Amino acid sequence: GPVKRSGPRHRVLGVQVYPPTGYSPYGNQAPPWAGSSEQRPDLKLLDLKLARLYATCEELDIPVMAHDNQSNGRDAASDGLAAVTGWNWADRQLSNLTALRVNAGHFGGARVHGDGADGDWTLGFIRLMQSSTRLRLYGDLGFWDELVTVPEVQTRLRDFMSIRLDGATTVADRTLYGSDWLMLSQTPGWEGYADGV
């Protein structure tokens, strides 16, 4: 579609997917939809289209960015679609991919989203960084406003940054700066965000 037709004169720099609007990055037939009143499209067809999109992005060396924090969903159930689960499905099932670059926007969020191992979305993305065979996963710190003011968040992120992925590569090597500027500009202390990060 439009990604392939962009041509060299109007190069696509990236593709953004936004799971909390009501779909998983992949494996849409698997997530529990309980608690959601939203209509769903043909989920098998949706996964086929997503697989085609990712294959095209990899072929053209176009990175994919996804909203990967528990926020801005169509409903409470949809908020959970931004977790690492869909990317785990893509990594396991899309055997045609070899190194699709994916940026987990918001890197799971500054705060833990519940109890147990599945509640720490950032750690889930880090585990996928360590184990993925089909995705080259990155995370950005967009709208981690707590990072500037909450010591527990600072310590948590500092500990994560030193985790080894392979050889000399650490999580810090795959972490990007981000601001999510429009949202960030509405929070107190936004002026110091870049320096704080």
Side-chain angles (χ1 to χ4, degrees):
V3 173
K4 270 205 162 175
R5 289 196 302 268
S6 65
R9 189 163 173 231
H10 301 288
R11 176 107 163 93
V12 171
L13 300 177
V15 168
Q16 182 176 13
V17 295
Y18 209 90
T21 59
Y23 64 95
S24 178
Y26 195 74
N28 281 282
Q29 297 169 74
W33 297 107
S36 177
S37 60
E38 295 293 330
Q39 291 281 336
R40 302 286 173 211
D42 179 328
L43 299 177
K44 187 174 185 177
L45 180 60
L46 176 59
D47 276 345
L48 286 172
K49 289 185 177 202
L50 287 167
R52 199 172 321 141
L53 172 67
Y54 300 149
T56 299
C57 288
E58 184 175 74
E59 174 191 338
L60 299 175
D61 196 27
I62 296 170
V64 175
M65 182 173 83
H67 177 95
D68 286 313
N69 191 10
Q70 191 176 23
S71 59
N72 295 336
R74 289 168 34 164
D75 55 30
S78 295
D79 276 347
L81 295 172
V84 72
T85 308
W87 293 113
N88 281 326
W89 276 93
D91 185 58
R92 285 194 305 264
Q93 295 186 359
L94 296 178
S95 59
N96 61 318
L97 298 179
T98 58
L100 175 68
R101 287 182 295 146
V102 175
N103 173 35
H106 309 291
F107 208 2
R111 299 256 184 197
V112 174
H113 299 297
D115 297 330
D118 292 338
D120 194 329
W121 288 16
T122 305
L123 187 55
F125 283 108
I126 291 170
R127 288 180 179 144
L128 184 57
M129 282 179 180
Q130 291 173 312
S131 66
S132 178
T133 57
R134 295 179 171 84
L135 307 175
R136 179 110 174 123
L137 189 65
Y138 298 80
D140 77 47
L141 301 178
F143 202 32
W144 274 48
D145 54 317
E146 298 99 331
L147 186 55
V148 179
T149 58
V150 181
E152 296 83 20
V153 172
Q154 295 166 352
T155 300
R156 181 171 161 261
L157 184 64
R158 188 176 301 115
D159 292 344
F160 284 160
M161 291 296 104
S162 62
I163 294 174
R164 293 227 174 267
L165 300 176
D166 54 44
T169 305
T170 64
V171 171
D173 296 314
R174 297 258 199 101
T175 302
L176 310 170
Y177 172 80
S179 68
D180 200 357
W181 175 247
L182 180 60
M183 299 301 293
L184 181 65
S185 68
Q186 300 173 46
T187 64
W190 62 267
E191 303 92 337
Y193 185 73
D195 289 337
V197 172

